[in-house]
């Protein structure tokens, strides 16, 4: 078989363990897709939009810690990859994008569809290069892959249309040997951190994704310090289930127990997190931060001691130092801080569970009627999320769209067992849940994959529902159909602005799915909810569950302010007056 540029690239992907390549076929990619066609263990997944292809490749990378691969052809095809690649970059996961280009002889001539890919991807990629001679391979490909894996980022390799079929003059195989070192901070810094922790009275841990591989060590440290554990959204997976120290999330999607534990602590220990919301860090506390990236230390909150190293190795060093400490004068660390935080958290969870109870609305009889009375306004999104949690398997993979779908998942779906969680939690893009589920399901068709879709997010990349159908991927799409851009609505109202521009004129998504050959289930009555969720999960193949939820349901922030309360009241009054004006005009 001829050693062409396309063949060298595809054979190398096979050697790397890449099993799917996502993209849209066309012109410059034709030699590459034909090489995939004739390769037994690499599958071409034809998407309807390159953005979905990039999201799918990123999802596979995040779930496996291996290289994800997507392709976009000349000009617009490559441009369409950008948003999904930005999400991969912000998620710090290795993705290789193969981008098409006009023939070499046309470069620089402003040819039809010509785009300067090296310039286009400059901000998003840790490495980018254009192949201008076949003999640059396999070295150029090796460099791209090593950069993607080594820097946990995006590498872009551009292949002009007249190079894919050209043969190399040598026969050297690609080599990708790369090891990941374990780093740990200097012993003196660990000693100072242990001294600070030993003298603290109330310690709270803020634990992020970077600590997930060190679960047992982190739990041992929380026990040693009697410290409640606040989780970032990405740390739900790995730390939420069977954890007597965790108290959920802080921030806008969080709960008051977590916010309270942060503010009542005298010392904060940040483990593997770059939690970006500065307003949610308390001021005037002692702060220790552990992270593999020196640039992350202190960029969100002032840090007293920064420990650059792997969380697992660093925590084990801290435990060794703390175990060598003489007993504190007052005995062990005071467990009152932990016990109070856990009590507050469990009480909040009980209150949330009542909202998810279908009988809750019946208790409103005889009370003041409001927008929260779902008998008139739709099904509670809390009830939908709780029903999914009850019926999903303990090894399910969940994806969630940015916005209110993520709020309900974070509050009502527990990452117990070996459940996994994906979302656009750093970039905050819309429309990520369905294409991420597409990538996840390709990894294992027998594992349950559930996408929490906002109606705005789903409709943005609606065409790739057909990709689920084409490949018969048994993804379960749960649509929170509130006919709104819900998070934007909440943001407007908290600022005292009336809702504007957020109303969505939705179709019957279940009927749309049915027309595409996908099982569609529509739910409008709370009494039908649990049976519908069970039926969706029991049905073979892809299923879209369209649930009409209450557009006026709100998620109270973990630390609501007086200004937010007044803003919400003013906004509601403006909306009421506007609505009344509309009625009188008719």
């Amino acid at each position: 078989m001829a050693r062409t540029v396309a063949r060298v690239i595809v054979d190398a992907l096979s050697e790397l363990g890449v099993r799917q390549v996502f993209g849209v076929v066309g012109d410059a990619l034709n030699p590459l897709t034909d090489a995939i066609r004739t390769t037994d263990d690499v599958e071409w997944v034809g998407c309807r939009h390159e953005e979905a292809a990039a999201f799918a490749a990123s999802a596979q990378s995040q779930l496996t810690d291996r290289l994800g691969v997507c392709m976009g052809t000349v000009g617009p095809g490559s441009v369409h990859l950008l948003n999904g690649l930005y999400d991969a970059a912000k998620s710090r996961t290795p993705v290789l994008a193969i981008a098409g280009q006009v023939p070499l002889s046309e470069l620089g001539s402003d040819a039809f569809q010509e785009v300067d890919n090296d310039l286009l991807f400059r901000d998003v990629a840790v490495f980018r290069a254009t192949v201008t001679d076949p003999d640059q391979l396999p070295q150029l490909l090796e460099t791209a892959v090593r950069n993607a894996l080594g820097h946990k980022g995006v590498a872009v390799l551009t292949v002009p249309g007249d190079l894919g079929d050209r043969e190399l003059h040598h026969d050297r195989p690609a080599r990708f040997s790369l090891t990941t070192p374990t780093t740990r901070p200097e012993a003196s810094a660990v000693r100072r951190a242990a001294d600070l922790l030993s003298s603290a009275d109330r310690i709270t841990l803020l634990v992020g994704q970077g600590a997930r591989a060190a679960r047992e060590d982190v739990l041992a440290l929380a026990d040693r310090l009697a410290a409640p554990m606040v989780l970032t959204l990405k740390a739900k997976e790995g730390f939420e289930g069977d954890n007597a120290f965790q108290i959920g999330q802080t921030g806008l999607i969080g709960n008051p127990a977590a916010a309270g534990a942060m503010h009542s602590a005298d010392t904060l220990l940040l483990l593997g997190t770059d939690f970006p919301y500065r307003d949610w860090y308390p001021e005037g506390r002692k702060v220790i931060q552990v992270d593999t990236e020196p640039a992350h230390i202190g960029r969100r909150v002032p840090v007293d001691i920064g420990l650059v190293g792997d969380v697992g190795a660093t925590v084990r060093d801290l435990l060794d130092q703390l175990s060598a400490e003489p007993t504190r004068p007052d005995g062990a660390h005071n467990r009152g801080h932990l016990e109070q935080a856990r009590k507050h958290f469990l009480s909040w969870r009980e209150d949330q569970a009542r909202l998810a109870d279908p009988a809750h609305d019946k208790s409103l009889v005889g009370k003041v009627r409001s927008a929260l009375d779902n008998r008139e306004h739709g099904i509670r999104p809390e009830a939908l999320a709780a029903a999914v949690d009850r019926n999903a398997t303990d090894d399910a993979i969940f994806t969630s769209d940015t916005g209110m779908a993520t709020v309900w998942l974070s509050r009502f779906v527990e990452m117990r067992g070996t459940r996994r969680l994906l979302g656009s939690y750093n970039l905050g893009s819309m429309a990520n849940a369905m294409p991420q589920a597409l990538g996840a399901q390709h990894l294992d068709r027998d594992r349950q994959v559930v996408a929490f879709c906002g109606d705005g997010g789903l409709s943005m990349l609606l065409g790739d529902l057909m990709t689920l159908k084409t490949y018969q991927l048994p993804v379960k799409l749960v649509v929170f159909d509130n006919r709104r851009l819900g998070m934007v609505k909440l943001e407007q109202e908290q600022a005292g602005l009336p809702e504007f521009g957020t109303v969505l004129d939705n179709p019957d998504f279940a009927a749309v799915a049915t027309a595409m050959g996908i099982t569609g289930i529509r739910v409008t009555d709370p009494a039908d909810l649990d049976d519908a969720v069970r039926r969706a999960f029991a049905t073979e193949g892809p299923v879209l569950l369209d649930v009409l939820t209450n557009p006026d349901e709100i998620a109270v922030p973990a630390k609501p302010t007086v200004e937010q309360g007044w803003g919400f009241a003013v906004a509601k009054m403006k909306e009421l007056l506007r609505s009344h004006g509309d009625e009188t005009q008719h």
Side-chain angles (χ1 to χ4, degrees):
M1 188 177 294
R3 293 276 294 171
T4 64
V5 167
R7 174 52 56 194
V8 167
I9 291 174
V10 173
D11 285 351
L13 297 181
S14 174
E15 180 187 336
L16 283 164
V18 174
R19 293 297 169 256
Q20 285 90 30
V21 175
F22 301 87
V24 178
V25 298
D27 42 71
L29 293 184
N30 287 337
L32 287 152
T33 52
D34 190 62
I36 292 172
R37 179 184 64 81
T38 56
T39 301
D40 291 336
D41 55 1
V42 180
E43 178 186 11
W44 173 258
V45 181
C47 298
R48 299 304 177 103
H49 196 294
E50 289 89 352
E51 180 178 347
F55 270 123
S58 174
Q60 289 200 337
S61 176
Q62 291 179 65
L63 289 168
T64 63
D65 293 324
R66 297 197 303 268
L67 189 72
V69 182
C70 57
M71 293 187 183
T73 193
V74 182
S78 294
V79 172
H80 283 165
L81 292 171
L82 266 176
N83 194 54
L85 292 182
Y86 265 102
D87 190 77
K90 295 278 280 185
S91 298
R92 302 195 73 247
T93 199
V95 169
L96 174 67
I98 306 294
Q101 184 55 282
V102 299
L104 276 175
S105 61
E106 299 292 331
L107 273 177
S109 68
D110 194 24
F112 175 64
Q113 292 192 322
E114 181 182 3
V115 170
D116 186 342
N117 284 348
D118 292 340
L119 178 62
L120 175 71
F121 295 109
R122 182 173 64 182
D123 183 52
V124 73
V126 295
F127 177 85
R128 65 204 183 284
T130 297
V131 181
T132 57
D133 187 292
D135 289 331
Q136 289 177 294
L137 294 179
Q139 183 177 1
L140 200 57
L141 176 63
E142 292 169 343
T143 303
V145 170
R146 287 195 182 110
N147 272 274
L149 293 171
H151 294 290
K152 297 181 179 179
V154 173
V156 179
L157 195 64
T158 295
V159 181
D162 56 348
L163 275 185
D165 281 332
R166 288 177 59 181
E167 294 187 24
L168 281 64
H169 294 111
H170 57 80
D171 195 27
R172 179 175 79 76
R175 300 185 181 95
F176 297 102
S177 177
L178 185 68
T179 58
T180 302
T182 297
T183 59
R184 60 201 329 138
E186 294 182 359
S188 60
V190 176
R191 173 73 260 171
R192 287 187 287 114
D195 288 343
L196 178 54
L197 292 171
S198 294
S199 63
D201 288 322
R202 299 178 308 280
I203 302 167
T204 294
L205 307 184
L206 178 60
V207 179
Q209 179 186 22
R212 290 191 319 205
R215 172 186 164 91
E216 296 307 317
D217 294 319
V218 173
L219 290 177
L221 183 63
D223 187 41
R224 178 71 176 81
L225 300 175
M229 188 185 299
V230 178
L231 306 179
T232 67
L233 184 57
K234 285 188 170 185
K236 270 176 70 74
E237 174 196 318
F239 281 101
E240 191 169 50
D242 192 24
N243 182 350
F245 303 96
Q246 72 94 7
I247 53 172
Q249 287 89 62
T250 187
L252 287 174
I253 67 172
N255 69 78
M262 294 277 286
H263 282 263
S264 62
D266 56 44
T267 303
L268 299 177
L269 176 55
L270 280 53
L271 299 175
T273 179
D274 191 33
F275 183 71
Y277 306 105
R278 295 183 182 183
D279 290 346
W280 293 87
Y281 290 97
E283 297 179 356
R285 307 309 193 270
K286 295 292 185 181
V287 178
I288 302 169
Q289 183 175 2
V290 180
D291 203 292
T292 55
E293 295 294 329
H296 291 181
I297 302 293
R299 73 173 176 177
R300 308 301 183 189
V301 62
V303 168
D304 295 274
I305 301 174
L307 302 176
V308 179
D310 294 282
V311 171
T314 304
V315 168
R316 287 191 293 274
D317 288 349
L318 279 172
L319 284 167
D320 288 343
Q321 293 283 354
L322 290 166
S323 297
E325 286 287 331
T327 305
R328 287 166 52 100
D330 58 349
H333 275 83
N334 184 350
R335 302 190 79 84
H337 177 55
L338 169 62
E339 292 167 359
Q340 178 61 32
R342 282 285 293 178
K343 180 180 178 181
H344 193 183
F345 174 62
L346 295 175
S347 175
W348 174 80
R349 283 215 306 192
E350 289 177 3
D351 291 341
Q352 292 291 298
R354 282 193 284 272
L355 292 177
D357 185 350
H360 177 78
D361 289 325
K362 297 177 182 178
S363 68
L364 297 174
V365 175
K367 298 181 180 180
V368 176
R369 299 292 292 275
S370 72
L372 298 183
D373 187 341
N374 285 267
R375 290 172 295 180
E376 294 181 358
H377 293 82
I379 295 166
R380 288 190 179 278
E382 300 98 328
L384 173 55
V388 171
D389 180 57
R390 285 193 301 274
N391 290 285
T393 61
D394 282 356
D395 68 343
I397 299 172
F398 292 89
T399 66
S400 70
D401 271 335
T402 298
M404 298 308 296
T406 290
V407 175
W408 307 128
L409 182 145
S410 73
R411 294 188 175 187
F412 292 92
V413 176
E414 182 183 21
M415 291 295 113
R416 58 181 175 270
T418 57
R419 287 178 171 182
R420 301 295 305 271
L421 177 61
L422 291 173
S424 184
Y425 301 141
N426 293 85
L427 181 64
S429 173
M430 288 180 65
N432 61 282
M434 183 261 288
Q436 285 181 328
L438 189 161
Q441 193 72 83
H442 263 292
L443 291 172
D444 185 349
R445 288 175 175 268
D446 295 325
R447 188 169 183 177
Q448 190 177 76
V449 177
V450 183
F452 271 46
C453 300
D455 45 4
L458 179 70
S459 56
M460 187 176 283
L461 286 176
L462 191 63
D464 271 287
L465 279 182
M466 282 306 301
T467 307
L468 297 180
K469 159 63 169 54
T470 298
Y471 294 90
Q472 279 300 299
L473 297 171
V475 172
K476 311 309 177 191
L477 302 168
V478 179
V479 184
F480 288 74
D481 189 351
N482 64 356
R483 288 79 65 205
R484 293 294 192 280
L485 297 175
M487 185 63 81
V488 179
K489 176 180 184 291
L490 181 60
E491 292 167 350
Q492 291 175 347
E493 291 174 339
Q494 286 182 343
L497 302 172
E499 178 186 7
F500 179 76
T502 64
V503 177
L504 301 175
D505 183 17
N506 288 339
D508 179 334
F509 286 114
V512 171
T514 300
M516 290 181 170
I518 294 172
T519 300
I521 302 171
R522 187 171 172 89
V523 187
T524 59
D525 188 334
D528 299 332
L529 180 61
D530 218 58
D531 284 343
V533 172
R534 283 196 295 269
R535 180 156 60 97
F537 287 169
T539 300
E540 293 185 2
V543 177
L544 187 149
L545 180 66
D546 183 17
V547 181
L548 269 63
T549 57
N550 180 9
D552 291 310
E553 194 80 8
I554 62 171
V556 178
K559 187 179 60 175
T561 64
V562 173
E563 290 79 6
Q564 288 172 333
W566 276 113
F568 190 77
V570 169
K572 285 300 181 184
M573 184 60 68
K574 290 178 180 177
E575 290 169 7
L576 180 63
L577 292 172
R578 185 178 63 186
S579 176
H580 180 70
D582 291 342
E583 292 172 0
T584 57
Q585 290 175 25
H586 292 82

